Amino acid sequence: MNAKELFMNGEFVPAERGMISVRTHGFAYGTGCFEGIRGYWNEADQQVYLFRLREHYERFLHSCKILQISLPYTVEQLVDISTELVRRNGHRQDVYLRPVAYKADLTIGVSLHDRIDSFIITSEPFGNYINITGLHCGVSSWRRIDDNAVPARAKILGAYVNSAFAKSEAIQNGFDEAIMLTSEGHVSEGSAENIFLMMNGEFVTPASTENILLGITRDTVIELGRREFGRITRERQVDRTELYVADEIFLCGTGAQIAPVISVDHRPVGNGQVGPIAKKLQQLYFEVARGRCPEYRAQWCTPVYASVPKSEPQMQHSEMLD
Ligand SMILES: Cc1ncc(COP(=O)(O)O)c(C=O)c1O
């Protein structure tokens, strides 16, 4: 890991001390939860802005609650620990933070209650997670985990085996990314991304009840769609074949950012090129996440280093949407 320190059980320690026993419950059974948080380097401000940090930690504490993990931290304390970690590591580039809470007992047995809870955060430099210039996607033969089996609403360590099955199948079949259906056969999400369709000028995305992780980026897209594009997102059930007739499709997530989809199951999306809305939204997303739009910076970007932002918006939103 390309960082000097990490945070583990209440203290900052040298990264090489970040080790757990092979008998750890969370390792043996996947009984833990995590977050993936991005920080963007802003050259003009000489600043790393952590994007929607509070919302990530609110979701993290919800995941903990579902898994019966209790941490001795508030959202504010987790925010402070995160900014301190990035400062200590001196990152001056785009970064990825991974908080993990897990069952730390060294015992055999699969229950959640009355166990030892542990917590770590790591940070490291990070670039693009997937291609953001046009993805070829395939509908997976692996169905999305159900809320009554392993709830997708919580970001549970073991649940990512479901994502890994779908992702590997997609790549090994020649696609870039998988789109998973619910057990009822409706569109759910990508292996680690939410999905949006543009249908007759409307933003459409699977509803929160479709076994999705309620993505922070999904929420950002809904908000930008309303405020900058003047369009309400329809959160509803989405049929598989709507993927074949949508005007545009894009995936979104902290890792994926805004990743346009140009084909699904060998059928071109729209004319097979990145669509105009996805393109503008992607540009806007990067401006916002990098802290270049003052009103969104105040709302969503947490500065790591002590300094006053100097940059003005490089581009007005209205110009981008022309
Ligand atoms: C399964 C899954 N869905 C959706 C997302 C997108 O969520 P977010 O935008 O909060 O990163 C992720 C990534 O964290 C994910 O792993």
Side-chain angles (χ1 to χ4, degrees):
M1 195 179 71
N2 197 356
K4 290 180 288 213
E5 294 189 20
L6 51 77
F7 184 83
M8 187 167 197
N9 295 327
E11 54 179 348
F12 294 96
V13 296
E16 59 274 15
R17 276 184 44 205
M19 285 189 285
I20 58 165
S21 165
V22 291
R23 295 176 60 227
T24 302
H25 200 273
F27 173 70
Y29 301 114
T31 46
C33 57
F34 70 107
E35 273 301 319
I37 302 168
R38 269 190 191 267
Y40 287 94
W41 173 244
N42 181 314
E43 183 68 31
D45 292 356
Q46 293 290 294
Q47 184 63 268
V48 171
Y49 290 111
L50 296 171
F51 191 57
R52 304 203 65 177
L53 192 52
R54 279 177 185 76
E55 291 87 342
H56 276 285
Y57 280 122
E58 281 161 11
R59 185 173 68 187
F60 185 60
L61 292 184
H62 285 162
S63 296
C64 287
K65 191 172 182 185
I66 289 171
L67 278 180
Q68 299 189 17
I69 292 176
S70 44
L71 295 184
Y73 305 112
T74 62
V75 166
E76 284 311 315
Q77 287 169 323
L78 292 166
V79 163
D80 289 346
I81 293 166
S82 302
T83 51
E84 170 77 13
L85 179 65
V86 177
R87 271 195 299 278
R88 281 173 173 259
N89 281 324
H91 296 302
R92 296 176 72 78
Q93 68 267 91
D94 294 350
V95 291
Y96 186 77
L97 269 62
R98 174 160 298 220
V100 185
Y102 60 97
K103 301 288 174 186
D105 304 52
L106 307 181
T107 52
I108 294 169
V110 292
S111 63
L112 294 174
H113 66 285
D114 293 340
R115 295 203 170 274
I116 301 162
D117 299 322
S118 280
F119 174 63
I120 60 161
I121 315 183
T122 58
S123 73
E124 59 195 291
F126 196 52
N128 287 342
Y129 171 67
I130 53 174
N131 170 354
I132 55 170
T133 59
L135 293 168
H136 298 281
C137 290
V139 171
S140 183
S141 70
W142 295 95
R143 293 296 167 107
R144 188 72 181 124
I145 41 174
D146 193 83
D147 190 54
N148 289 303
V150 184
R153 180 182 312 281
K155 215 167 152 55
I156 296 172
L157 294 176
Y160 277 76
V161 174
N162 179 236
S163 296
F165 276 128
K167 178 84 179 192
S168 282
E169 179 193 58
I171 304 273
Q172 288 166 347
N173 284 343
F175 297 112
D176 300 312
E177 184 53 275
I179 297 171
M180 275 190 281
L181 307 180
T182 62
S183 48
E184 286 78 35
H186 299 294
V187 176
S188 179
E189 58 181 339
S191 69
E193 309 87 9
N194 292 116
I195 185 166
F196 281 77
L197 293 74
M198 295 303 305
M199 310 272 295
N200 302 321
E202 288 184 338
F203 286 67
V204 175
T205 195
S208 61
T209 45
E210 297 301 304
N211 294 324
I212 62 170
L213 180 73
L214 270 175
I216 311 290
T217 320
R218 176 183 182 274
D219 183 71
T220 303
V221 169
I222 292 173
E223 189 79 359
L224 293 177
R226 187 177 61 77
R227 284 163 65 173
E228 306 296 337
F229 293 79
R231 299 179 205 209
I232 300 295
T233 297
R234 306 260 172 233
E235 298 178 63
R236 62 165 173 82
Q237 250 176 17
V238 176
D239 280 342
R240 173 186 187 150
T241 49
E242 290 186 85
L243 297 170
Y244 300 162
V245 297
D247 303 319
E248 296 186 39
I249 299 179
F250 57 90
L251 302 179
C252 68
T254 298
Q257 305 168 116
I258 305 291
V261 175
I262 54 173
S263 78
V264 177
D265 289 346
H266 306 288
R267 292 154 176 89
V269 175
N271 63 5
Q273 308 286 320
V274 172
I277 300 283
K279 194 170 172 185
K280 284 176 189 161
L281 184 70
Q282 189 188 61
Q283 280 179 311
L284 178 61
Y285 180 79
F286 283 126
E287 291 294 304
V288 167
R290 218 168 270 287
R292 292 183 180 144
C293 302
E295 82 266 26
Y296 291 111
R297 181 172 64 217
Q299 188 184 350
W300 286 338
C301 301
T302 304
V304 163
Y305 300 108
S307 79
V308 180
K310 289 189 283 298
S311 70
E312 281 313 310
Q314 312 252 313
M315 223 185 301
Q316 295 298 330
H317 309 157
S318 49
E319 284 169 19
M320 296 177 63
L321 301 180
D322 285 344

